[in-house]
Amino acid sequence: MIRNIQTIIPGIATSDGAGVKLRRSLGGHQQARLDPFLMLDEFSSNDPNDYVAGFPAHPHRGFETVTYMLEGHMLHEDHLGNQGHLKTGGVQWMTAGRGIIHSEMPQQVSGAMRGFQLWINLPANEKMKAAGYLDIQEENILKLSLVNGSLVKVIAGLFKNESDVIVGPIQGITTSPLFLDVHLPPNTEFEHHISKQLNAFIYVYEGELEVGNPMRAVPKQAAIVLDEGDFLKVKAGAVGAQFIVLAALPLHEPIVQHGPFVMNTRAEIEQAIDDYQNNRFVTL
Ligand code: CO
């Protein structure tokens, strides 16, 4: 069954960090989540005033952050001593677990900075696991060119069609996330199986796209939450389309969020605040 559009969550202009301008779709308010996805931000600007201040040191607990750079260069540093350069086409998959304090600072003072940050929830029994992170450079992300000229980058999970199976560099995560970046030439179609157990959405960041059966045009820069079904079917408009596809297993657990801490109960949030304020994130 082809998945149709269930809800459209527009990306609302806001700012975060030390004043980085971005568009927040998922996570703009509590009802705008899609279990296990907590938040999706797109940052996109050619004006350094919109991004140079970056994201100075700040904490996270209880979930994973995924940063996908379309264009630009940021330096990641965390309290565990990890350091990584996020560059055009690269991905950083960070498991905040029981606590991380990190910064993400632009390494450029001009030019375009563009990409996404996605927050994926962790199940209750993994929220306090050790923090960790994976830095995946552009050259380590497999790209598949399809016969109709389409290009698929597989960041997490698995892409499969009649002739190819491509496995992304991110594996072994409990929520089984699928993360694709798809580029379609004008007027081409794209189909992909997405297991019906997964919650799924797409986000068009360039061009024009129609989704579902019957096909319906969707807005750019919005999270297009997909309905039940096991098949994604889309078609690019006259200028082509570029979009990301996200899907993962829902957790069906209570969520209590306080800024960068996402736990299951109010008491766990109080504990997170207390641990952070008393410097226990660095000793846990
Ligand atoms: Co962060």
Side-chain angles (χ1 to χ4, degrees):
M1 192 173 97
I2 292 169
R3 286 176 182 251
N4 273 313
I5 301 162
Q6 184 199 73
T7 322
I8 295 174
I9 303 170
I12 305 294
T14 180
S15 69
D16 208 339
V20 178
K21 289 199 177 150
L22 46 83
R23 277 174 192 275
R24 180 162 297 161
S25 47
L26 291 181
H29 54 92
Q30 283 197 17
Q31 287 70 39
R33 296 185 184 123
L34 177 67
D35 187 11
F37 300 107
L38 299 164
M39 193 188 83
L40 179 70
D41 286 346
E42 180 191 9
F43 46 93
S44 176
S45 180
N46 298 311
D47 179 355
N49 293 320
D50 291 344
Y51 62 74
V52 280
F55 301 90
H58 61 277
H60 294 286
R61 174 179 280 183
F63 58 99
E64 310 198 77
T65 69
V66 183
T67 306
Y68 176 35
M69 294 295 287
L70 294 173
E71 205 173 347
H73 182 184
M74 286 210 280
L75 173 65
H76 163 95
E77 290 178 293
D78 68 35
H79 81 275
L80 300 172
N82 295 311
Q83 195 186 69
H85 289 272
L86 289 87
K87 292 183 186 163
T88 300
V91 172
Q92 182 200 68
W93 198 287
M94 189 182 80
T95 304
R98 63 193 174 213
I100 194 105
I101 301 168
H102 76 153
S103 61
E104 296 142 303
M105 298 303 289
Q107 302 296 295
Q108 61 190 59
V109 291
S110 64
M113 174 75 78
R114 187 164 198 198
F116 296 100
Q117 187 167 89
L118 176 73
W119 290 10
I120 307 179
N121 207 1
L122 283 168
N125 62 3
E126 292 183 34
K127 282 184 176 291
M128 293 299 281
K129 74 179 184 184
Y133 98 124
L134 279 171
D135 222 345
I136 302 144
Q137 302 300 320
E138 206 264 343
E139 56 269 27
N140 297 320
I141 298 174
L142 292 170
K143 295 157 208 72
L144 183 66
S145 298
L146 306 181
V147 283
N148 64 2
S150 307
L151 181 82
V152 183
K153 290 175 72 170
V154 187
I155 294 164
L158 177 147
F159 175 85
K160 192 175 171 197
N161 64 12
E162 303 76 39
S163 46
D164 299 281
V165 178
I166 298 278
V167 176
I170 305 293
Q171 297 294 328
I173 293 179
T174 303
T175 48
S176 296
L178 170 74
F179 187 170
L180 307 176
D181 181 12
V182 183
H183 298 193
L184 300 184
N187 305 309
T188 52
E189 290 194 2
F190 174 81
E191 298 181 347
H192 193 246
H193 172 77
I194 299 178
S195 164
K196 62 175 184 293
Q197 286 84 17
L198 306 183
N199 281 342
F201 72 96
I202 63 170
Y203 185 101
V204 181
Y205 61 91
E206 278 297 333
E208 299 167 352
L209 195 73
E210 296 181 355
V211 179
N213 182 30
M215 288 277 183
R216 252 180 76 193
V218 297
K220 269 203 309 192
Q221 298 183 300
I224 312 298
V225 177
L226 301 174
D227 221 331
E228 289 175 2
D230 57 3
F231 218 70
L232 170 68
K233 187 178 166 92
V234 300
K235 183 175 189 250
V239 294
Q242 296 179 25
F243 59 99
I244 52 174
V245 179
L246 274 309
L249 286 168
L251 295 170
H252 303 298
E253 290 176 356
I255 295 173
V256 182
Q257 177 171 4
H258 177 80
F261 308 137
V262 182
M263 305 300 288
N264 301 108
T265 66
R266 174 50 52 186
E268 289 166 347
I269 289 293
E270 301 297 341
Q271 186 67 53
I273 294 167
D274 193 62
D275 284 347
Y276 179 60
Q277 287 177 347
N278 291 286
N279 230 14
R280 284 190 292 266
F281 270 36
V282 296
T283 51
L284 273 173

